[in-house]
């Protein structure tokens, strides 16, 4: 599960304003922790399996009909594979952390009077940072996919270098920039001041909100562009209407999955602003929801992105030398057919 509230949980609480007992009570970790970690393990395991399956190389099921349909497949497939890889690493982090916590390596159970950093706190900090980074990568890759879809239907080139810089380097800068002030000068004690916690929360919630707000707009623009392109061909029969319907259905599925996985985090962040006004039971329910849905993103993505671009997507390989030669020929062809717009219909 990805929540900025877990980072301070990894620190020692031995100053005058906080104690092990108050930290444990404030975090609501007693008997329900075993069930909570079990849910995280179940959902993350399912996602790991789904992500690995989608990343396995396999043959193309059919030959592309046109050069631009092939191009649309290649650029979409590349983004989806990188998104799946980030999902896989994030789910592996949740799986490992929950397994270790279920085995008893919880930070709050190992608070000592000494100043020596123990394994539980070190593992908690590193694993939580790992999870935060790769989930940030999934937000950025999800955003890049929507941007590339809008560029594709507008007949504009992809910007893979920018996508990689934004989706790998961007989350790294956000993670380092927000965690360093929190943990500095050591992992022994977090700086639990408002000025240290706000950047940590903003670095998580702002990317989620950007995807929730901007991606539906980009998908709406892409859907309208597909409709206009089909109508410009001079006919708009039931077949064209079916294509438009499938396009909108596909984009709606992708958007709903992201909302389902991360709306709990946004709600949790909003309720944290209300503080003691919200009952403990509500927070527990939201955390259980996040513990299931956050790691489940990889599995759900492998389902909704399936068939993106008119293909059964994964890291495809040509089935034969004929497939390979056909692909090379089409990539060197200067055809300007508009069939790539129809590739969203499957």
């Amino acid at each position: 599960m990805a929540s900025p509230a877990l980072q301070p949980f990894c620190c020692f609480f031995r100053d005058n304003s906080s104690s092990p007992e108050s930290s444990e009570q404030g975090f609501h970790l007693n008997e329900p922790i075993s069930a909570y970690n079990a849910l995280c393990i179940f959902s993350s395991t399912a996602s790991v399996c789904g992500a690995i399956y989608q990343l396995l190389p396999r043959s193309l099921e059919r030959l592309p009909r046109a050069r631009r349909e092939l191009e649309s497949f290649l650029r979409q497939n590349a983004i989806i594979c990188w998104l799946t890889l980030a999902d896989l690493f994030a789910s592996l982090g949740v799986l490992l952390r929950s397994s270790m916590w279920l085995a008893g390596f919880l930070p709050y159970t190992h608070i000592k009077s000494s100043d020596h950093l123990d394994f539980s706190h070190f593992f908690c900090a590193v694993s939580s940072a790992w999870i935060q980074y790769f989930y940030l990568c999934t937000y950025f890759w999800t955003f890049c996919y929507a941007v590339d879809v809008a560029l594709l239907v507008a007949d504009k080139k992809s910007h893979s270098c920018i996508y990689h810089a934004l989706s790998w380097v961007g989350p790294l800068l956000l993670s380092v920039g927000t965690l360093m002030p929190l943990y500095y000068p050591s992992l022994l004690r977090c700086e639990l001041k408002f000025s240290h916690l706000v950047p940590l929360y903003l670095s998580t919630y702002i990317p989620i909100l950007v995807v929730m707000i901007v991606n539906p707009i980009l998908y709406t623009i892409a859907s309208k562009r597909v409709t206009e392109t089909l109508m410009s061909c001079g006919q708009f029969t039931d077949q064209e209407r079916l294509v438009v319907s499938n396009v909108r259905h596909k984009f709606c599925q992708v958007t709903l999955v992201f909302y389902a996985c991360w709306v709990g985090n946004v709600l949790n962040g909003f309720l944290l602003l209300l503080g003691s006004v919200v009952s403990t039971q509500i927070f527990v329910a939201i955390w259980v929801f996040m513990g299931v849905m956050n790691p489940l993103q990889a599995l759900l993505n492998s389902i909704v992105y399936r068939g993106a671009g008119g293909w059964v997507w994964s890291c495809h390989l040509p089935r034969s030398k004929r497939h390979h030669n056909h692909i090379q020929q089409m990539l060197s062809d200067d055809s300007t057919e508009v069939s790539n717009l129809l590739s969203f219909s499957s």
Side-chain angles (χ1 to χ4, degrees):
M1 196 260 305
S3 174
L6 285 176
Q7 293 293 348
F9 170 63
C10 300
C11 302
F12 284 93
F13 297 96
R14 290 184 288 101
D15 53 9
N16 296 329
S17 61
S18 183
S19 65
E21 291 76 17
S22 62
S23 174
E24 178 179 343
Q25 292 172 0
F27 206 69
H28 313 298
L29 290 176
N30 290 303
E31 292 300 327
I33 189 64
S34 297
Y36 170 78
N37 283 318
L39 288 174
C40 290
I41 291 174
F42 173 79
S43 57
S44 59
T45 301
S47 282
V48 167
C49 294
I52 291 176
Y53 175 76
Q54 294 300 331
L55 288 172
L56 291 176
R58 69 189 69 170
S59 299
L60 295 172
E61 289 194 343
R62 62 178 176 84
L63 289 172
R65 294 172 295 181
R67 171 180 174 269
R68 293 182 62 185
E69 183 185 4
L70 175 62
E71 288 181 344
S72 69
F73 159 70
L74 292 176
R75 58 194 280 182
Q76 291 173 65
N77 186 69
I79 295 176
I80 293 172
C81 283
W82 289 117
L83 170 60
T84 304
L85 188 64
D87 265 328
L88 173 61
F89 285 136
S91 297
L92 285 173
V94 174
L95 176 60
L96 180 60
R97 185 181 64 184
S98 297
S99 299
M100 295 297 292
W101 283 0
L102 200 60
F105 291 95
L106 282 165
Y108 77 86
T109 61
H110 294 269
I111 297 179
K112 309 289 185 180
S113 59
S114 64
D115 288 334
H116 298 291
L117 181 65
D118 64 359
F119 172 77
S120 296
H121 287 82
F122 177 78
F123 173 78
C124 179
V126 172
S127 61
S128 296
W130 172 282
I131 294 168
Q132 176 182 341
Y133 169 72
F134 281 108
Y135 271 126
L136 282 173
C137 292
T138 66
Y139 308 153
F140 280 81
W141 276 117
T142 302
F143 173 75
C144 289
Y145 177 80
V147 171
D148 195 71
V149 165
L151 292 176
L152 178 64
V153 298
D155 198 21
K156 296 182 180 180
K157 293 183 179 180
S158 181
H159 303 282
S160 58
C161 293
I162 297 178
Y163 297 159
H164 281 280
L166 182 65
S167 301
W168 298 121
V169 181
L172 180 62
L173 295 178
L174 283 176
S175 299
V176 174
T178 56
L179 293 179
M180 284 296 292
L182 183 69
Y183 287 120
Y184 183 82
S186 69
L187 293 175
L188 292 178
R189 185 177 291 109
C190 282
E191 292 289 344
L192 297 179
K193 298 178 181 178
F194 182 78
S195 60
H196 291 84
L197 293 177
V198 168
L200 177 63
Y201 280 80
L202 292 181
S203 67
T204 301
Y205 293 127
I206 288 181
I208 294 176
L209 290 174
V210 168
V211 174
M212 286 184 169
I213 295 172
V214 177
N215 278 31
I217 297 176
L218 294 176
Y219 289 142
T220 300
I221 295 174
S223 299
K224 290 182 179 179
R225 185 60 183 264
V226 171
T227 304
E228 293 172 358
T229 302
L230 292 175
M231 295 182 68
S232 66
C233 296
Q235 60 179 1
F236 197 71
T237 63
D238 291 339
Q239 182 177 359
E240 282 72 28
R241 292 188 181 90
L242 179 61
V243 170
V244 173
S245 176
N246 288 337
V247 167
R248 293 174 178 172
H249 183 65
K250 174 66 69 178
F251 292 159
C252 183
Q253 285 181 324
V254 171
T255 302
L256 287 178
V257 164
F258 190 86
Y259 268 80
C261 291
W262 300 108
V263 68
N265 298 63
V266 175
L267 180 60
N268 180 72
F270 173 76
L271 293 179
L272 285 175
L273 298 177
L274 302 179
S276 58
V277 177
V278 184
S279 66
T280 301
Q281 289 75 13
I282 294 179
F283 276 110
V284 171
I286 293 176
W287 273 67
V288 170
F289 180 79
M290 292 190 297
V292 174
M293 295 306 300
N294 288 179
L296 209 59
Q297 176 182 248
L299 178 63
L300 296 178
N301 277 346
S302 68
I303 297 174
V304 297
Y305 284 104
R306 182 181 177 88
W311 308 76
V312 178
W313 70 269
S314 66
C315 297
H316 292 278
L317 296 174
R319 283 187 299 183
S320 63
K321 185 177 181 180
R322 182 175 67 90
H323 276 69
H324 178 77
N325 293 338
H326 182 80
I327 290 175
Q328 294 298 322
Q329 178 182 357
M330 297 192 70
L331 286 175
S332 61
D333 188 12
D334 291 330
S335 174
T336 58
E337 297 181 50
V338 297
S339 60
N340 63 312
L341 295 178
L342 304 182
S343 62
F344 294 101
S345 61
S346 296

